[in-house]
Amino acid sequence: MQRSQQHQAPLASSRPDNGNHSGRRLPLTVDEALQYSPLSSIVPFGPGPIPQPRVLNTDSSSLLSDQEQHAARYMLEQLDHETSRGSLGPSNVPQSVHEVQQLLDPRALSNLTFKGLSGRTGSALGARLDGNASLMATGLGRFTETLFNMTDISFRYPTPQTPSRRADERQPNGVTKGVSSSSTTKQRPQNVESPTTPTPQYGLPTPERRITSPVVIVPKLSPSQRQEYVDYTLSLSEDEKDRRHAERKPRTQQPRASSHAGLSDSRQQQKTEAALRRFLHLVAKVYAAEDQLQPDTSGAVSTSARDYFIFVDTDDDTAHVLAPGVQAELESLLQQLITGGRFGEVPFDTIIRLQKLCETGLHLAEGLEGGVRELSSEEEVERWLRTVPVIDAGLRTTRSLLMIINGGREEKQIYSEEILQSILNLLKSTLDGIIIRIIEMRSTGSGELPFRALTSHKQSLTTLFGHVTKILQLLATLIAGEGLTESAVTTIEFLTIGLIFVENAFSEKDSVLGVHRCDRLRVVAMDVLVQAFSTYNEHQAFIFDEVLTSLEKLPVTRQKARQYKLPDGKAIQLVSALIMRLIQSSSVSRKRRKVARKVNEDRAAIDSHMEVGHQPRGAHMADTTSEVSDELPDVMQKLSSITQPLLDIAQMNAQYVVHFLVSRALKSTKTGGDPYRTLLDIFTEDFLVAMDSPSWPSAETLLRCLLSNMVGLVGGEKSNAPAKNMALDLLGLMGAALSDTLSQLRRAAKSLENGETELDQQLLGLVDLSLGGELEERSIVGVDGPYPLILAHRGDDDSTDEVVRTARTFHVLQWAAKISSSLETVQEGQEDTQQELEAAQLVHSLVVGEKQASDLDVLGPTTPAQVRVAYMLILLNMPFGKAFERILILLLNSMNSEQATVRSKGLKSVIQIIEKDPTVLDRGTHVMRHIINRASDPSPLVRDSALGLITKCTQLRPALDDQILDCILARAADTQVGVRKRALKILRDIYLRKHRKEVRAAIADALLHRMTDSDEGVSELAKQLLEESWISPLAYSGSDNQGAVSHGLAIKEQAALIVETIRRGNNVSTVFGAFLHSAVGEQSKNASSNVRVCKELVSSMFDDVLDNGDSSDSSRKQAILQTLTVFAKARAELFRADQLEHLQVYVEHLSHNDDLQVFRSVVIIFRWVLPHLPHVKTKFLGAVQKALLESLTKLGKRELNEVVACLWTINDVLNTIDRLSKVTISCIRAVWAARTADFSKPEQQRQTTTIVRYMNIAGLFGKHCDFSSDLPRFQEGFPWWKGDFVPALLVDVFAPFTAPKQPSVIRTAALDGLGSVCQAWPRMYLKDQVVTALDIVFTEGNSELESLVLNSMKEYLATEEKRSEGALETSKKPKQDSGTGRLAGNVMANQNDGVATSLAQRYLKHIVRVALATQEGYALNATEVVASINRQGLVHPRESVAVLVALETSSNATISKIAFREHRFLHQKHETIVEKEYMKAVQQAFQYQRTVSGDVRGATTKPFTSKLHLLWEVIKTSKGKIRKKFLVNICAKMDVDLAKLDISDNPPLPFLFAMFVAENLAFFEYSTVDEVTSVIHTLERLVSTSGALVAHALEMEVFQKPSAAEDPTSIHPVGVPAPTQAVDQSRMTQLATASAILSSAWDVRSFLCRLYGLNTSAKPETKGKTAAKDINKAPTKQPGITGQGLWDTNTQKLASMADQDSMLAHCERFLNLMTVDEDFKIAAEKEDSPGLGKRQGSVDDDSSAPPTPKSHSRPARKRKSGRSSTSQTPKKQRRASTPKFTATASEMDDYE
């Protein structure tokens, strides 16, 4: 009573009096009447009936306690907040309004007649009302105002002017007419209702309804009165608050538009009214038809029933379901009623009956068994197709049932869990048995038959797909209302995840219903899953886990399918879109109820006294924002308390996804079975694609997390090479994407340059600052920055899209975070924070719902281009967007990594960035400097990657050609084939871009030299590139004058370039000749065009010779003529007769040494061209012949050879053999006359020179000329000669001068002459005189004479090879005669076939001796002879294997190259024979290195390279079995047999050979892990077996110890005691040598283990446990292990074999190695010293020494001297105590 009295004053004073009806009080408002209502004692808006409220006298006491009043008011304040929040977040307002409207339904209310109050007049009451403003002046809350505007409750109260009406004046519906409060106020129109609509209309109010609707008003409490109330929720726990809040939520949620904007228009009301009438009318007809189906005596079905139902035969009876047309019409009307908010007016019984009618079809479809996956024949397909109408009916009725459930009705009977379970059962069976199977069905394979059958029924199947799609959409709406049980939600999640990960077809022909329709269904499934994720926070972790673990179900083809289209047309994976949507949804869903409650509590102090009038919406929002706070810290604190937790949740979810993908990817490889490595790449690419879209801001969050992970992997000390490579791969992708974004920003900004709006200019200014690196965060976060532009644009564009809604919320949250970040920077500089304050207030108003995104004020309408620029500015100012420079620095620094694969990957990643943004190269020289340095990297993989990057750089920036030319020229001679090929291609590109003569000449020279490359692929590539550079660009077939002139200039320039290249020397002309021969030969594809170009080049060079005929620059003339000789040898048809006539002058006047080169070049041209010219002047030929004969005595042997050959060529035309015969006879006669002269006398010196010249001339004439036609002349000239073959005469004449008694110069000339004759007439090699002469030469061992003989043999064998190859080519052509192959040659060839074989068999051992004797020039001749013999197959293949392998190790690159080429050829042709000779070859190579090179080491340094690496390269071309056999055999060469150990040399040869083998094994480039483990296990067995014998001998002879039998109780200390007795020196040397050999073997074994990071402590036979794919993988070298430690240790061993003490130390170390089980020792030390617990033998343990051989491992104690070396094995428990590779302290402590 006391409290009621206190309320009177506020009640009287709080209501304004407008002068009307002053004697009457206003009714109470809902807020004020609530305390007197039973509503305050229960949870408001519950589903049960509520007693009608009573308006009590103010003097009566309150029915509610203070706590209950506070609880009720709290609920209303929460509804007020949700009403003001608008579209930012879900709202319960529509459902709450609907429930209150149901409570205020006039049909359910009693008709109350209020008596007038005493003491009040009508004028007093009228003074309390003021038209439109009277009610609003009471301070209604947002929810109350909304309820007031949307509710039409007509009632009246009696006034003195209007007496109370009688009961019979009511309207038919029981609602009293509304009466105005004065006579001047118009009366409210009546509600007229149609017979079919027994309920009033509900909709948005019109202005008239707002004016006349009275309310119950109760005065507001004063602040002092409010303090007496206590908020009961403060005493509740958080769980209880959530539970009560959930109870207050409606079961379902109507579409948002139905309550706020559905019926504001009268036309829409009419449409909804008509829909309601049609619905009730149709339902009445359906029910009437169903009533006719009741059983009667006739059993017939009426016609009307058939119009509304279809009938399905079941096992028990015939069931009826709604016909498809009727069902579709009902569904359409239901949708209109629900959307229009009129579904609640449908009678409850009508709904229940309709629901039961729909259940029939649902249960029929649910009861069907089987599906598409069980179809295997056409009959089964047809049988299943007959069930499709039932399934169709069931899915249709399911749609209707879900629409009824989603209709917002409050009757509990509608929400049946049994119905929902049946719906889910049908959906599951349809998806699993039909939908998914149809999607996975293909036109080939096992599903071909049903595929063809179902394709013909597309229409019905398409209808099923449509039903399922709609059902999923309705389930999403149901999920949004939180009206499902836990099990139902889980079932839906499983179904949608399975549908998302089903494999769709890639082409329409492989899809039954089409690719796009199936993808549309999967997208809807994604929407449902995201809705479940947003609604049920407790399911979020489960959904993430299910999605991520399901990724491995994606097949390889699916991983590449990007069929989800983004707004800009780009495509990504659907799963990528799903992950991004989950991240964005998590920012607005997690604990949103608690966040909303916190917002309400924060705003309580601000909103409690705020009066809201009828202001414009924008002005009202502005006022609210300004009233939030004027203090920036307060605003930021409130803003951060709301936004930061949501951002943190999104960030944690993103980190979880990234961590999952990265951790799985680190355990797999791209080529492995685990797909996560490839998936990580695909997801990264998808996120980068979506990064530029404002609809996917979560992409930046995911990429930021991924970037952090990758940076950690690159910089992590414990990261291995594969992990770093993966990180560099992804960093390259990210850097490239950011580069592309920068480029796009530049291009997009250009599109705004012509814009005239203020917004365009503002954005351009921000772009300039961003590109210049001067953009501050303050410019981004301001209210006039890009954020409002993004939000406003997205708010205007399809604001109902869930993706856009969550993206907009995500942008708002990021904006708030950016404001906080900017504020920290500003406060550090003590700058004005007004800009941040305004932005914070604006963001706060967006977060709490006071403003909408569409309300933001931007400078005019926005365009897509402006929005794109704005978002790119935001993106580049985010943490990920700012990371470009850091990414680039990481990639550049990775080029200096210790791991070669990491350096290579870093280079490849930089390529991706440069391709996207070439301006990176313009930022300084440091980028190119890093790249060029890597081109000289020790690793061929890195060098190849560097050249790839250089290629890309020069394509983008051709100006870099000069900077990188020297580097590329050097790489053209690289040791790696792939690097050489890439370098040649780069040189070709530079050649075509650069026109400087010196540059082109250098490039051409490099290409020419590569034509002789040992690799055929490189050689062919060089030929191709040179042809493309030199000849192909000059091909011209035009006729216009301008083109002809340009072509002529190009020909002239090219001719000059070719001459310049030839002048560079270094055997270029020979190589160029080979190139020309292949370019203009008949086998060339472009022979005709190439010949035409070469003719023009020759013509140009002749013109140049003639133009410079009188010039003093003789060197240029020599170079031109020398170049012409190359063309002449390649193809004589390139020349014309008139061109040769111009050269006659150069052979007629030979007087100076300067002219000798010119003379020789002209003679060569004559020699090669004249035989092929059809018409040559006889006079010209005669003059040339005369000039040449006159010059014979003036020429050296080199020029003389060309002149004689040319003379014989001219003779073929002039037929003047008599002149040549006379010259030859004259020379022979002079030589024969001197056969008895004593040339040792000084006075014979001049005669010696003359005789030598005559021998040279006669020998060359005998070589080049065939005097058979002039034989009588020779017989007449030499009567003593009885032969009939002129070359035999020459042999008889020269033979006496080859005797050892002759002076060296005479013997040399005679042997040279014999060689010249024998080359042309091979039969002469078999004459006794020649054989004797050659035997004497090889017996004497005169290197000069041997070289001369070998050179002769080489030229002869080369001629034989050409003849044989020519015959083989001829045999390939169609011909009529018999005989094929090499036997198809001429008759002379058959007579000479045995000569080469005879020479090879007779002199091969001498030739090999010469080849292995030195590395000088004549050894090269011997090598070439051996190679030629090998190619022609003149001896058995095994005869030359050893010498070729030994010559491969030569330091002479030419010898090594020839030997390698021939060895490879032999191995390919005769592998089974050759591989048996390899152990002998290894021994031969060691002897060659020891005697010729003087170096017994098995490798070369800088870098360490095995000397037998070429042998190993050849063996690697064989199968694995051959390789392992070789490795096992070469390891066996290190075995020791004390009885046979040769120690005669110092150091002993067995030790030197063992060290040679060991170092080769250490530095071989192994192909597989299996090869390495084979070497390791073989060496272990070798040391274990032979080492035990040596150790036993050391114990017994050197370190004498008592045996166990002598003192069985003694326990000897660890270590080896000093020697106790003197040992014989030879025995000591023998034991020391054996110890050194075996310790070297163990050192190599330990080095290989560390180098490749292998742990092979298990027995060799247990290695099968390793997977086959791991054994066959290429071994990976560990960083930092170079072999220097092993090399230094062997160097010390070499030096320590000289004295007794050093040898004793060797023995002591070896015995310690064999005696102590270091594994057991260190394990014990670990137990005693926890600090030694580090894992031994790990990759980073570089200081570990070799472990003990395991077959004799023992505890750290003395080994019994009597123990047999092979009788026992270590105990298992001791052997397994720790990994094997636990090193001990020895000289091997620091290998690296």
Side-chain angles (χ1 to χ4, degrees), residues 1686-1790:
L1686 178 67
W1687 187 265
D1688 294 341
T1689 300
N1690 286 343
T1691 303
Q1692 294 174 4
K1693 289 179 183 178
L1694 275 175
S1696 62
M1697 295 297 292
D1699 57 83
Q1700 183 84 6
D1701 293 337
S1702 299
M1703 290 188 289
L1704 186 62
H1706 268 309
C1707 297
E1708 182 178 350
R1709 283 193 294 271
F1710 178 72
L1711 186 59
N1712 186 69
L1713 176 69
M1714 296 298 297
T1715 305
V1716 180
D1717 187 344
E1718 296 296 339
D1719 291 346
F1720 184 84
K1721 178 180 177 181
I1722 291 185
E1725 291 176 356
K1726 285 183 181 180
E1727 295 175 1
D1728 297 336
S1729 304
L1732 299 176
K1734 177 182 176 182
R1735 179 185 179 273
Q1736 299 294 325
S1738 60
V1739 171
D1740 55 352
D1741 186 9
D1742 293 336
S1743 61
S1744 59
T1748 306
K1750 59 178 175 291
S1751 61
H1752 289 274
S1753 300
R1754 293 287 296 167
R1757 63 180 65 183
K1758 174 186 172 185
R1759 189 186 306 274
K1760 294 181 181 180
S1761 58
R1763 172 185 279 273
S1764 172
S1765 62
T1766 59
S1767 60
Q1768 297 188 31
T1769 58
K1771 292 183 179 180
K1772 186 173 183 179
Q1773 59 270 27
R1774 291 178 178 173
R1775 179 166 50 86
S1777 60
T1778 184
K1780 263 299 176 185
F1781 299 115
T1782 59
T1784 63
S1786 71
E1787 290 79 359
M1788 300 294 293
D1789 279 347
D1790 189 8

Side-chain angles (χ1 to χ4, degrees), residues 683-754:
F683 279 120
T684 303
E685 293 168 1
D686 287 349
F687 297 153
L688 291 172
V689 168
M691 176 183 67
D692 294 336
S693 174
S695 299
W696 302 97
S698 58
E700 188 275 340
T701 303
L702 287 161
L703 289 170
R704 188 194 319 161
C705 298
L706 186 60
L707 174 63
S708 177
N709 275 265
M710 297 305 103
V711 171
L713 287 176
V714 171
E717 296 181 357
K718 296 183 179 180
S719 300
N720 54 21
K724 290 185 176 181
N725 290 339
M726 181 188 74
L728 292 174
D729 251 339
L730 298 182
L731 287 176
L733 287 174
M734 297 180 200
L738 289 174
S739 296
D740 188 48
T741 301
L742 288 169
S743 302
Q744 291 181 31
L745 181 60
R746 296 188 186 97
R747 294 193 295 268
K750 290 182 180 179
S751 65
L752 300 179
E753 290 179 352
N754 299 327

Side-chain angles (χ1 to χ4, degrees), residues 187-205:
Q187 189 172 6
R188 184 182 185 88
Q190 300 179 12
N191 290 328
V192 181
E193 302 177 5
S194 64
T196 59
T197 57
T199 57
Q201 299 184 22
Y202 298 108
L204 291 180

Side-chain angles (χ1 to χ4, degrees), residues 571-587:
I572 61 174
Q573 283 193 131
L574 180 66
V575 182
S576 302
L578 172 63
I579 290 176
M580 290 189 290
R581 287 193 61 182
L582 294 179
I583 299 300
Q584 288 179 189
S585 299
S586 62
S587 67

